Amino acid sequence: MKATVASEFFQQKKPVALARWLIGKHLVRRRADGSVDARMICETEAYDGERDLACHARAGRTARTEVMYGAGGAWYVYLCYGIHEMLNLVVGPPGWPAAVLIRGIEGASGPGRVTKTLAIDRALNRAASDEASGLWIEDRGVRVPRGKILATPRIGIDYAGPVWVAKKWRFVWAR
DNA sequence: TACTCGATCGGA
DNA sequence: CCGATCGAGTAA
């Protein structure tokens, strides 16, 4: 069983649920040389709306955050610390800025390593999650027991304040 | 235009 | 623990 997940699927209104759902799904990358690399997603984090002070959209619509206000199913890729490219999947309906950060895949733990491993950079920002863009999500039928998914506070967002730091919106596949 | 600081990582 | 490295956001 192998099915590309349509962009429209990610327009549902539950970023936190989608972050959990993505655990065990495959992130698939077609490289410039035509080779395809598919890896299970092991760690994610949800960012949900302007009210979420950890979310980049806390500053409202800007050139950078505009993509998050669009329909779910697009990639949001940005540079962090001047060094690391961060890969996010925009989720939710148009008008509500939200995204899921892909923090870990098989063989690559940490958001900066995910993008380095799969040769992902800002050229993919705003691109759609589909086979045409070269980066997409597949449901290959792997089922992860809910009890195997650990929910924890998000990493590296102390600036957001205690209320938002406390949200357990990071999901880790505890194998 | 100046300044600050980061959704991180690797090395000391 | 610290430095790398640069662009977005903010203040001026």
Side-chain angles (χ1 to χ4, degrees), chain A residues 12-165:
Chain A
Q12 54 186 99
K13 303 180 181 180
K14 303 181 182 305
V16 175
L18 281 171
R20 186 189 288 107
W21 181 88
L22 280 165
I23 301 296
K25 302 304 180 292
H26 281 73
L27 176 63
V28 190
R29 175 64 164 151
R30 187 176 56 252
R31 293 169 174 278
D33 65 4
S35 63
V36 173
D37 194 346
R39 301 186 188 226
M40 273 186 288
I41 295 170
C42 304
E43 183 181 344
T44 61
E45 271 178 9
Y47 290 86
D48 191 13
E50 296 177 352
R51 61 188 182 134
D52 175 5
L53 298 185
C55 181
H56 289 166
R58 64 186 177 278
R61 272 183 199 263
T62 66
R64 182 172 65 153
T65 63
E66 186 63 31
V67 63
M68 276 201 282
Y69 287 81
W75 297 113
Y76 166 40
V77 186
Y78 71 94
L79 185 66
C80 188
Y81 293 103
I83 301 173
H84 307 289
E85 309 279 340
M86 301 280 123
L87 174 67
N88 298 255
L89 180 61
V90 173
V91 298
W96 182 268
V100 174
L101 171 66
I102 309 298
R103 290 190 57 91
I105 56 177
E106 293 175 272
S109 178
R113 295 192 189 125
V114 168
T115 54
K116 185 177 180 186
T117 299
L118 295 180
I120 292 163
D121 61 29
R122 285 163 288 171
L124 277 159
N125 189 39
R126 295 169 175 266
S129 170
D130 59 24
E131 297 187 36
S133 73
L135 185 65
W136 67 96
I137 302 289
E138 284 184 17
D139 182 349
R140 296 190 172 186
V142 175
R143 104 184 182 303
V144 183
R146 200 178 176 87
K148 285 290 185 183
I149 301 178
L150 193 63
T152 84
R154 293 171 291 179
I155 305 297
I157 57 149
D158 288 350
Y159 60 82
V163 172
W164 296 98
V165 167

